[in-house]
Amino acid sequence: MNGLPRSGDGSPEPSCVLLSGGVGGARMAAGLQEALPPGRLSVLGNTGDDFELLGLRVCPDLDTLLYTLAGRAHPDQGWGLQNETWQCMHALEELGAPCWFQLGDRDLATHLVRTEALKQGRSLTGVTADLARALGLKTRVLPMCDEAVGTRLRTREGLLDFQDYFVRRGQRDRVLEVEFAGIRQARATREVLEALAQAELVVLAPSNPFVSIAPILAVPGLGQALAQSAARKIAVSPIVGGRALKGPAAAMLESMGHEVSALGVARLYSGVVDEFVLDLEDEHLAPAVASLGMMPRVLPTVMSGPRERLALARALIRP
Ligand code: FO1
């Protein structure tokens, strides 16, 4: 015996649910997928970044998860596919079509299949499961909900749709407030509720707390199911040494009046998780995290490659 908690089926590794958005979330998902037996991981993906482009339904965080878990993601940028070609994008440019958001030729195939399936009445949960199966995944990738929810950012320039802020305007605007259009009409799906009910471990990925994790927690019924779950709940800080490893999390903490540190993130998750993972660089913040009622854990959190993400995942699984 190795002291690990035992799952209902007698396996020593726990059933795990990961809440994920962006590239950091997908890398955490890949580490957990490798650390756990096949089929033991469900990932709840943020869909607040979704939008429509040229008639296609774009789901960046779900696709980043699918491609990363299938080992097909672009190795440097993290989103999109490796060995991608851009013939369609060049043709669109010649036609004067909007090209600020880049969809590669192979990525377009995913978008065509998803958009057509949705048009035929399939749910986003159903079509995402179909795509995952086609890519050979055993991990379940679950959209946070089936309804359309749009993350909007209040800035001095007005209310911006997420991808306008993130890609078109290059994250240059100071974010004053974040809202999730359509969230009141959304409902936690049966698949998400089942995954949370069966989970022995829930991990909040080192994703942006405001635009990746918050929309997932805001889905009616989902936050309550998480609160009622008997699982161990752990969050991993996306802030290391006062900086975000990727993306605008640090800038958002500052512009929305929070401390720009892992402790600032821990305060946002107070009451949501039992354990909070700090990077080695932030060990000095452990007593302050403990005073929030969360157990601090100090681990190497920077997932610079497959070996580091597997090591982090294994450390999270161990109680
Ligand atoms: N990010 C960019 O910075 N520029 C792009 O042109 C872009 C295209 C894109 C296409 C498909 C996809 O799944 C993701 C894409 N992303 C792009 C990333 C995306 O904006 C972000 O990963 C998330 O929305 C933030 O988590």
Side-chain angles (χ1 to χ4, degrees), residues 25-220:
R27 290 186 174 148
M28 184 78 266
L32 286 166
Q33 175 177 259
E34 204 183 331
L36 292 164
R40 200 56 64 82
L41 175 65
S42 299
V43 188
L44 313 190
N46 168 43
T47 58
D49 297 10
D50 295 11
F51 73 123
E52 200 166 297
L53 185 71
L54 297 163
L56 299 173
R57 171 74 179 270
V58 185
C59 302
D61 284 353
L62 295 180
D63 289 348
T64 300
L65 278 168
L66 292 170
Y67 297 157
T68 304
L69 290 168
R72 296 193 188 192
H74 188 285
D76 306 322
Q77 65 197 14
W79 53 267
L81 284 155
Q82 62 192 10
N83 304 321
E84 186 58 281
T85 57
W86 301 93
Q87 293 299 322
C88 184
M89 224 58 225
H90 294 319
L92 285 168
E93 208 166 357
E94 280 175 17
L95 296 172
C99 290
W100 58 273
F101 196 87
Q102 304 275 306
L103 293 175
D105 297 329
R106 298 181 70 86
D107 197 15
L108 271 167
T110 303
H111 289 81
L112 291 170
V113 167
R114 175 193 295 120
T115 304
E116 175 62 14
L118 291 172
K119 210 172 99 192
Q120 298 296 331
R122 193 129 174 80
S123 68
L124 186 60
T125 299
V127 69
T128 306
D130 296 343
L131 291 167
R133 203 170 306 115
L135 290 168
L137 298 187
K138 297 277 187 292
T139 296
R140 285 194 301 165
V141 177
L142 302 174
M144 66 186 200
C145 59
D146 282 327
E147 298 80 4
V149 170
T151 297
R152 307 250 169 90
L153 306 144
R154 191 169 295 286
T155 71
R156 288 205 191 95
E157 301 304 310
L159 209 51
L160 300 176
D161 287 343
F162 181 81
Q163 297 297 347
D164 272 349
Y165 158 80
F166 196 84
V167 176
R168 203 204 299 243
R169 297 174 61 82
Q171 305 156 39
R172 66 173 183 261
D173 302 277
R174 202 174 147 76
V175 175
L176 307 172
E177 209 181 336
V178 180
E179 57 184 62
F180 309 119
I183 197 80
R184 268 196 242 123
Q185 287 73 50
R187 289 289 166 270
T189 61
R190 178 176 51 79
E191 291 81 354
V192 164
L193 294 175
E194 276 175 14
L196 285 170
Q198 287 163 16
E200 291 156 287
L201 173 67
V202 175
V203 179
L204 273 54
S207 304
N208 185 309
F210 302 105
V211 295
S212 290
I213 303 295
I216 303 176
L217 294 175
V219 173

